[in-house]
Amino acid sequence: MKVLIIGNGIAGFSAASTLRRLNGRCEIEIISAEANPLYSPCVLPDYVSGDIPRERVFVKSLIDYERLSLKVLFNQQAKEIDPPKKRVLTDQNKRIVYDKLVLATGSQAIRFGSPQGGIFTLKTLRDADAILKHRGKKAVVIGAGPIGIEVAMALLSRGYKVSVIEMMDHVLPLGLDAKGARKVEAVLEERGIEIFTGERSEKILGEEQVQGVVTNRREIECDTLIWAVGMRPKV
């Protein structure tokens, strides 16, 4: 029996390792859109800030895949699934047949606007590497949920001037009430982060490179923009 798993995040790897524990003989293959073994997205802000080195982001190595006899196709995405014929076509035109198929594709960060330079999300290791390579000076983070706050703190550690825009009337709106959020806002502002709540972004300035953000109340100059407005299923 051959089991094909689309997705190499924690769900995909857990499915593969559990299956291997239950069945030592079946063939297991994983399709991974990324180029690296399993890592923790939760620590990416710590990597961006410089608090941890890149190697500490990873929770598994290639040796771990070899020990479990897992075959992984890195840097490939599933483009088409043909259930009657039990096969998957990748973006590199590789056809893979299977007996059982597991979908573990996870989520992707939401972003808006045209692909100007200097605009990022922080969901993958590739995102974090791109932010570090960019080396800007003035950042606007749109969204003040946990990811937005952590990214803002990470960029501040990197020497950026940071502003945070939140559409709701306080930061961390899904986790804190207004009273608790005000305490967090006070700490962030004390450290030098500008907090603009009750505002929504309306326009991104710049053509090839982001130059600023226009909200319903003001215009903020920046050379770096981070979208931190949530996730959507990657289907």
Side-chain angles (χ1 to χ4, degrees):
M1 180 178 72
K2 178 174 181 178
V3 178
L4 179 63
I5 301 172
I6 301 177
N8 188 40
I10 186 62
F13 187 88
S14 296
S17 59
T18 301
L19 179 59
R20 176 58 71 223
R21 187 176 70 249
L22 298 173
N23 187 327
R25 300 178 62 183
C26 69
E27 182 182 354
I28 304 173
E29 190 166 0
I30 301 173
I31 298 177
S32 174
E34 299 190 64
N36 307 286
L38 181 65
Y39 61 86
S40 171
C42 298
V43 302
L44 292 179
D46 297 321
Y47 167 50
V48 172
S49 70
D51 289 340
I52 64 172
R54 194 175 190 274
E55 57 266 24
R56 284 191 56 193
V57 172
F58 298 97
V59 296
K60 297 295 179 183
S61 68
L62 294 177
I63 295 176
D64 294 311
Y65 291 82
E66 293 174 4
R67 287 173 178 167
L68 293 170
S69 298
L70 305 178
K71 180 180 178 182
V72 187
L73 297 176
F74 290 110
N75 275 323
Q76 294 197 44
Q77 294 190 33
K79 185 172 71 173
E80 180 182 314
I81 299 174
D82 187 346
K85 295 182 179 180
K86 291 190 174 182
R87 67 184 184 185
V88 170
L89 177 66
T90 74
D91 58 351
Q92 296 185 23
N93 290 321
K94 181 177 178 62
R95 283 181 169 80
I96 309 169
V97 296
Y98 62 83
D99 295 301
K100 301 290 184 180
L101 178 66
V102 177
L103 301 180
T105 51
S107 62
Q108 58 189 356
I110 298 171
R111 61 176 293 166
F112 302 96
S114 57
Q116 298 112 307
I119 299 181
F120 307 94
T121 57
L122 185 56
K123 178 66 167 68
T124 68
L125 181 57
R126 187 178 293 143
D127 294 334
D129 288 336
I131 291 171
L132 290 174
K133 184 179 179 181
H134 175 62
R135 300 182 183 277
K137 295 181 178 179
K138 296 180 180 179
V140 169
V141 179
I142 300 180
I147 293 176
I149 297 301
E150 289 188 350
V151 173
M153 294 294 293
L155 293 176
L156 184 69
S157 298
R158 284 283 175 183
Y160 280 77
K161 182 182 185 301
V162 183
S163 302
V164 177
I165 300 171
E166 171 55 51
M167 183 174 63
M168 306 298 285
D169 62 0
H170 60 77
V171 301
L172 299 170
L174 298 181
L176 297 176
D177 60 13
K179 182 178 180 181
R182 300 293 176 237
K183 295 182 179 181
V184 174
E185 291 169 10
V187 172
L188 296 173
E189 290 172 340
E190 182 180 335
R191 296 189 180 189
I193 297 176
E194 292 182 317
I195 304 294
F196 301 112
T197 56
E199 297 190 28
R200 66 178 183 275
S201 59
E202 296 187 336
K203 184 178 181 181
I204 308 300
L205 302 177
E207 296 182 2
E208 295 184 0
Q209 173 72 32
V210 62
Q211 296 178 351
V213 177
V214 177
T215 76
N216 56 321
R217 295 185 182 180
R218 73 192 79 238
E219 180 178 318
I220 307 172
E221 180 184 349
C222 69
D223 55 27
T224 308
L225 172 64
I226 310 291
W227 285 107
V229 294
M231 306 290 170
R232 62 165 58 98
K234 189 177 183 182
V235 295

